[in-house]
Amino acid sequence: MTNFISVQLKKASEVDLAKPLCKFIQQSYPGGDAQAEHCRAAEELSKLRKSALGRPLDKHESALETVLRYYDQLCAIEPKFPFSENQVCVTFTWKDAFDKGSLFGGSAKLALASLGYEKTCVLFNCGALASQIAAEQNLDNDEGLKAAAKHYQFASGAFQHIKDTVLSALNREPTVDISPDTVGTLSLIMLAQAQEVFFLKATRDKMKDGIIAKLANQAADYYGDAYKQCQYKDTLPKEVFPVLAAKHCIMQANAEYHQSILAKQQKKFGEEIGRLQHAADLVKTVASRYDEYINVKDLVDKINRALTAAKKDNDFIYHDRVPDLKDLESIGKASLVKSTPVVVPLSQKFTDLFEKMVPLQVQQSVSVYNQRKADLVNRSIAQMREATNLANGVLASLNLPAAIEDVSGDTVPQSILNKSKSVIEQGGIQTVDQLIKDLPELLQRNKEILDESLRLLDEEETTDNDLRTKFKERWQRTPSNELYKPLRAEGASYHNILSKAVQADGQVKERYQAHRDTIALLCKPESELNAAIPSANPAKTLQGSEVVNVLKTLLANLDEVKKEREQLENDLKSVNFDMTSKFLTALAQDGAINEEAISVTELDRIYGSYTQKVQESLKKQEELLKNIQNAHQDFSKMKQSNNESNLREEVLKNLAVANDNFVELVANLKEGTKFYNELTEFLLKFQNKCSDIVFARKTERDELLKDLQQSIAREPSAPSIPLPTYQTTSAGGSKPAASSTPTPAPRTMGTKPQPPARPPPPVISAASSSSSASAPSGTAAAPAAAPAAAPAPGASAPAASTAPPQAQGPPYPTYPGYPGYCPMPMPLAYNSYMYGQYNLPYAPAPVFQNPGQAPYPAPQQPGYPFPQQPFYPQQ
């Protein structure tokens, strides 16, 4: 009797998951064992997909286990890889499970770059395969009954989960098989079949008839609800509807049958007969309407035997009144089934291939934390460097320490010699020239990479817009201009960075040109340097004075502060703390990560002491500079002032400033070179992202074009063609005026012999046309008064009112002896392609001759000045 409904599997197109995942891993994780391990896991995932989807599956637990493991793995990698159209772009293509397709178009399918879509389709296959395994169970033993009930309830839960999540997972209209209405109906069907399995087990275990009746009545309700849901929808295979209707009647009949046994036990013999009569009517309906789908002969015989016996006993013994069907008490319901909720992992043998890879949310939090840390460190280092530059500038403006070292007035101060030696050791002016020369090449390289990346996006977007204009609403995919917004924003950010870098390069070059001569002077030997510095009167009287000693002490303290800053800067750069464990713990405890709160707390804990030291250093320098300026004022009052000494002091100041500028220029240029090299790596990653998404879009575009061609091929493509004017002759015999539309060209016969050009036809006046029409059928039409002659050059054309001599259309109209070509069916008065009247398989219709046209075949038209044309049979 029992026929269970199983669901067909969806078919997936082959996809290489390893390549895009490995590329993301290589871009996001540092090289080493961890990266290699993640890449191997990506290859294993690709093999797992082929095992789960790339081959026919047996209706066995092991096959279902493979599909479940793949679904669990998809759920595990979802928080670890940014699957989207503009990041890790993998296009998944699935066919509709219920669409058989057509001869030309194939079955319906949908391609989306969405992991949620892949998960939905895989879960659909889990439910479908579970329904197939359940339908194959042997229901004659307890193991088979338990396995069938378990699989049907799991399938119901899988389809219910799809119904609840499919729209949010896809963000667009799904195919019919995974639409909420369809999977909702499938979930109810699976639940009904699970309830039926429990009914069969209760019957096999010979439970109480009241319980069995309630189980059957509940199953009938489930089947009835499922039938109502899909009754007016063409979403499921057509054989499902009669099976649902039949099952509803069968389960209701079983409920009535077992309830009748309970009525008999309660001595309610009239109720027993009424219920058996209702059960008999139900199975009779099934036998008459759905016999080709379900065989109910055994159930019919069982109910009829019970009904016959009950009637016999009631007629001879009990004489109980048989109540109407509406007066019978309703049978209770008992549901022993429920949809199994989808709780990951579904597989008992699941192990995460990417267990050691941190989730994407943690990666993003770590990335933001690193940016916060970099901002904090850079800000502290910038403050210290600005303070150092300020101190150097103040000392240079005061000509310190050269002023207190210049005792002879004709030798180079030791501080200037030290600065000169340092500049020469660093390469001097040649180093600066080479660094400046390299900047444009690095800048141009970065510009070319950025321009090429944006060009790829522009070309693909132009192609997408052209196809969208061509196919209009048929072109159903995300517009490129919307999809590329994040990439465009990133490209604009890089463009702004390059623009600012160009401005900074210009400022560095201007500064270098302003101090180039002085820096070049520092690079000279000591003798040339001494010769370039003007001599002045000695200031030996100042040596050993208290002011000079104070200045030396203050300058030594300032140098100590500078050295402490250098060490503090190195300490700030060397501090490293991995926040991954912190974020993982927060994610495990709270299910979310409050990155800002965690990061701010940890940064304050780690860098709080360093920040305090930076502020103390700045405050100490401020006090030292103030004291140095006060002491220098006293020193200047004691020092003799004259033009020579002022000129010498100015040169020494310029040399000190040149040294500071050289150090800063070299540092800036090296940082600029490092910046451009690092920017190249980011731009190459950006270019890879652009090329990857463009390639994925091209693949998606080709698939969509192929689908559109197939859908167009499925559509009816035979438009109605209006009849030409020569076939629109009215019943009265009048002909329409000649059309100005050009007539079709004659058919080319290849190298076959062609007839000679036909002579110009005679001009038949309207009067002669009417007289010909009124002539007896056996009499030839009266000849025209004069044949039509070719008009002389410059002569006017015939009047527009002159009726055409023959049916207008082909350029070779028919005349006796030559069957002309016509691409359209011709009037019955003449059709050279019709069978002869004696070869027709049916009686020919009466032939009406058009006015002005000779019968076919016919003798030479009277008045024709040319001989009979030869006949050229068509081959």
Side-chain angles (χ1 to χ4, degrees):
M1 176 203 76
T2 184
N3 276 17
F4 286 102
I5 297 171
S6 58
V7 183
Q8 295 295 318
L9 296 174
K10 289 175 69 68
K11 293 181 180 179
S13 298
E14 185 176 351
V15 172
D16 182 12
L17 286 174
K19 185 176 179 181
L21 293 184
C22 286
K23 182 173 288 189
F24 173 79
I25 291 168
Q26 292 167 358
Q27 293 175 352
S28 305
Y29 293 88
D33 295 338
Q35 185 185 97
E37 185 177 351
H38 295 334
C39 289
R40 285 194 296 271
E43 293 174 357
E44 289 297 322
L45 176 61
S46 187
K47 293 178 182 178
L48 179 59
R49 186 181 195 273
K50 290 181 180 179
S51 299
L53 308 177
R55 61 185 178 88
L57 297 176
D58 298 329
K59 299 174 183 179
H60 193 268
E61 295 278 356
S62 59
L64 179 60
E65 182 70 22
T66 302
V67 184
L68 292 177
R69 277 200 301 121
Y70 178 58
Y71 179 79
D72 289 338
Q73 190 60 67
L74 290 178
C75 295
I77 67 172
E78 188 173 22
K80 299 180 180 181
F81 290 94
F83 282 91
S84 65
E85 288 184 293
N86 52 11
Q87 295 189 60
V88 179
C89 184
V90 182
T91 302
F92 301 101
T93 304
W94 287 81
K95 293 185 178 180
D96 192 313
F98 305 131
D99 186 6
K100 304 300 182 183
S102 63
L103 179 62
F104 300 104
S107 58
K109 60 183 178 181
L110 177 63
L112 287 179
S114 165
L115 188 66
Y117 176 53
E118 174 85 346
K119 284 174 53 184
T120 298
C121 295
V122 173
L123 186 59
F124 181 94
N125 274 9
C126 292
L129 186 58
S131 73
Q132 295 178 11
I133 295 173
E136 293 292 317
Q137 298 299 316
N138 181 7
L139 302 182
D140 294 331
N141 56 62
D142 286 346
E143 290 77 11
L145 288 167
K146 290 179 181 178
K150 181 186 75 171
H151 286 306
Y152 280 134
Q153 291 179 88
F154 169 77
S156 177
F159 293 132
Q160 183 63 38
H161 184 78
I162 295 173
K163 177 185 177 183
D164 297 337
T165 60
V166 63
L167 295 181
S168 60
L170 269 63
N171 291 324
R172 61 159 294 168
E173 191 68 24
T175 50
V176 175
D177 55 345
I178 57 173
S179 64
D181 289 343
T182 303
V183 291
T185 303
L186 291 176
S187 176
L188 195 53
I189 292 174
M190 296 299 114
L191 206 61
Q193 294 185 152
Q195 180 76 12
E196 183 181 354
V197 170
F198 276 103
F199 159 76
L200 294 176
K201 179 170 174 52
T203 304
R204 185 174 180 276
D205 295 344
K206 297 181 180 179
M207 297 180 71
K208 294 181 179 179
D209 290 289
I211 296 176
I212 297 176
K214 292 178 179 179
L215 293 174
N217 196 33
Q218 181 65 68
D221 263 16
Y222 284 146
Y223 278 119
D225 292 342
Y227 180 78
K228 290 176 183 176
Q229 286 189 10
C230 62
Q231 184 175 7
Y232 301 108
K233 299 174 183 176
D234 189 18
T235 55
L236 296 176
K238 60 181 180 180
E239 60 269 15
V240 171
F241 308 122
V243 172
L244 291 177
K247 286 292 190 77
H248 172 67
C249 295
I250 291 170
M251 287 294 103
Q252 200 170 354
N254 276 297
E256 294 289 358
Y257 172 76
H258 287 279
Q259 192 69 19
S260 73
I261 296 176
L262 182 62
K264 182 178 180 180
Q265 294 170 357
Q266 297 173 351
K267 308 297 183 182
K268 299 178 181 179
F269 303 107
E271 179 183 342
E272 176 193 9
I273 296 173
R275 293 192 181 279
L276 288 173
Q277 286 177 343
H278 186 208
D281 292 339
L282 289 170
V283 294
K284 182 179 179 181
T285 301
V286 175
S288 61
R289 295 184 182 180
Y290 311 116
D291 186 52
E292 60 177 307
Y293 298 100
I294 295 182
N295 183 9
V296 290
K297 185 176 183 303
D298 293 341
L299 182 60
V300 170
D301 293 343
K302 182 172 69 172
I303 292 175
N304 285 338
R305 285 196 303 269
L307 179 60
T308 302
K311 283 184 176 180
K312 181 178 179 181
D313 290 345
N314 192 55
D315 291 343
F316 287 96
I317 303 174
Y318 306 114
H319 303 289
D320 196 5
R321 186 183 68 85
V322 178
D324 293 336
L325 178 62
K326 63 182 180 180
D327 295 332
L328 294 175
E329 293 183 5
S330 61
I331 304 173
K333 300 172 186 177
S335 177
L336 297 183
V337 297
K338 64 177 182 178
S339 300
T340 304
V342 176
V343 180
V344 177
L346 299 175
S347 170
Q348 298 177 354
K349 301 178 182 179
F350 171 68
T351 54
D352 188 3
L353 296 173
F354 299 89
E355 184 176 4
K356 296 182 180 180
M357 179 182 286
V358 297
L360 185 62
Q361 189 175 359
V362 175
Q363 295 179 39
Q364 294 171 343
S365 299
V366 170
S367 177
V368 176
Y369 164 79
N370 289 334
Q371 186 61 44
R372 291 181 188 274
K373 183 185 78 170
D375 291 343
L376 174 63
V377 172
N378 292 337
R379 186 166 57 249
S380 299
I381 292 176
Q383 287 177 341
M384 291 189 293
R385 288 183 179 180
E386 287 176 3
T388 301
N389 291 335
L390 175 63
N392 292 335
V394 170
L395 294 182
S397 66
L398 301 177
N399 194 23
L400 293 175
I404 59 177
E405 296 172 350
D406 190 19
V407 292
S408 63
D410 55 359
T411 59
V412 180
Q414 186 61 39
S415 62
I416 299 298
L417 289 176
N418 293 339
K419 289 179 172 61
S420 175
K421 182 179 178 182
S422 175
V423 171
I424 293 172
E425 288 177 353
Q426 296 183 53
I429 199 167
Q430 290 82 8
T431 299
V432 181
D433 288 338
Q434 186 61 42
L435 289 172
I436 290 179
K437 180 181 177 183
D438 292 341
L439 286 181
E441 297 179 4
L442 300 174
L443 174 64
Q444 183 62 28
R445 179 183 64 187
N446 289 329
K447 281 186 174 181
E448 290 175 356
I449 296 174
L450 181 58
D451 292 343
E452 175 63 17
S453 304
L454 297 177
R455 184 190 65 81
L456 293 174
L457 299 181
D458 291 338
E459 288 184 356
E460 199 285 326
E461 184 174 336
T462 301
T463 304
D464 181 71
N465 291 336
D466 293 343
L467 292 172
R468 190 175 305 280
T469 303
K470 179 179 180 181
F471 292 104
K472 295 181 171 52
E473 67 277 357
R474 289 175 178 265
W475 196 248
Q476 295 181 353
R477 72 168 184 168
T478 307
S480 295
N481 58 349
E482 295 182 9
L483 184 63
Y484 294 159
K485 283 182 179 179
L487 289 175
R488 297 283 189 191
E490 188 175 355
S493 175
Y494 286 130
H495 188 273
N496 291 335
I497 290 173
L498 287 175
S499 299
K500 292 179 180 178
V502 170
Q503 294 177 1
D505 293 346
Q507 293 173 359
V508 169
K509 291 177 182 178
E510 290 178 4
R511 187 174 178 183
Y512 174 58
Q513 292 299 326
H515 298 88
R516 189 179 190 280
D517 295 339
T518 314
I519 295 173
L521 181 60
L522 274 176
C523 298
K524 294 182 180 298
E526 182 180 353
S527 58
E528 296 183 22
L529 184 60
N530 189 27
I533 300 175
S535 300
N537 293 328
K540 292 182 180 180
T541 56
L542 296 177
Q543 292 298 321
S545 65
E546 184 180 355
V547 176
V548 172
N549 293 333
V550 169
L551 280 173
K552 286 182 177 180
T553 303
L554 292 172
L555 291 175
N557 292 339
L558 186 59
D559 287 339
E560 187 66 26
V561 170
K562 291 180 182 178
K563 291 179 180 179
E564 290 177 358
R565 277 195 196 136
E566 291 178 359
Q567 184 60 41
L568 187 57
E569 181 175 336
N570 292 332
D571 292 343
L572 281 170
K573 290 180 179 178
S574 62
V575 171
N576 191 16
F577 183 78
D578 188 8
M579 289 289 293
T580 303
S581 58
K582 288 278 185 181
F583 290 133
L584 283 173
T585 303
L587 184 62
Q589 291 177 350
D590 305 331
I593 299 175
N594 187 350
E595 181 276 327
E596 184 177 2
I598 297 174
S599 296
V600 170
T601 302
E602 287 300 313
L603 287 174
D604 185 61
R605 181 182 67 82
I606 297 170
Y607 290 97
S609 59
Y610 294 101
T611 305
Q612 185 176 356
K613 289 180 181 180
V614 170
Q615 297 303 321
E616 290 175 356
S617 175
L618 297 178
K619 187 176 181 180
K620 187 175 182 180
Q621 174 182 296
E622 185 178 355
E623 294 177 357
L624 285 173
L625 288 177
K626 184 177 180 181
N627 293 334
I628 288 172
Q629 287 175 331
N630 293 334
H632 184 267
Q633 288 180 358
D634 297 338
F635 175 76
S636 299
K637 292 177 182 177
M638 296 172 60
K639 188 177 180 181
Q640 295 179 358
S641 177
N642 54 52
N643 292 336
E644 292 179 355
S645 62
N646 291 341
L647 183 59
R648 180 180 177 84
E649 185 174 349
E650 186 67 25
V651 172
L652 293 176
K653 287 181 182 179
N654 291 338
L655 289 173
V657 171
N659 173 75
D660 296 339
N661 279 282
F662 174 81
V663 173
E664 192 170 350
L665 283 171
V666 171
N668 290 341
L669 289 170
K670 287 183 177 180
E671 286 183 2
T673 302
K674 180 182 177 183
F675 163 77
Y676 281 129
N677 288 328
E678 292 178 349
L679 183 61
T680 299
E681 297 180 7
F682 287 106
L683 288 174
L684 287 174
K685 291 181 180 179
F686 176 69
Q687 186 181 32
N688 288 335
K689 285 196 291 186
C690 292
S691 60
D692 288 346
I693 191 173
V694 167
F695 177 77
R697 293 283 287 180
K698 180 179 181 299
T699 304
E700 182 187 17
R701 180 187 71 205
D702 295 342
E703 287 286 335
L704 187 55
L705 281 173
K706 182 179 178 181
D707 293 344
L708 284 174
Q709 290 171 355
Q710 292 178 350
S711 64
I712 291 173
R714 287 197 295 262
E715 295 176 355
S717 58
S720 57
I721 303 176
L723 292 175
T725 54
Y726 63 82
Q727 291 199 27
T728 56
T729 305
S730 62
S734 61
K735 294 185 178 181
S739 172
S740 61
T741 305
T743 56
R747 180 171 59 181
T748 303
M749 302 300 294
T751 58
K752 298 178 181 179
Q754 296 294 318
R758 69 173 290 274
V763 178
I764 304 176
S765 64
S768 61
S769 297
S770 60
S771 62
S772 298
S774 60
S777 59
T779 306
S796 60
S801 61
T802 304
Q806 301 184 52
Q808 300 300 301
Y812 292 111
T814 303
Y815 55 88
Y818 178 74
Y821 167 73
C822 178
M824 298 296 296
M826 301 177 69
L828 288 178
Y830 168 62
N831 188 343
S832 60
Y833 291 94
M834 282 187 65
Y835 292 103
Q837 293 185 6
Y838 300 101
N839 297 331
L840 288 174
Y842 50 85
V847 178
F848 300 97
Q849 181 179 332
N850 283 341
Q853 178 176 332
Y856 176 79
Q860 178 80 21
Q861 291 185 6
Y864 245 90
F866 300 97
Q868 175 74 33
Q869 299 293 322
F871 173 73
Y872 289 86
Q874 291 187 342
Q875 298 178 357

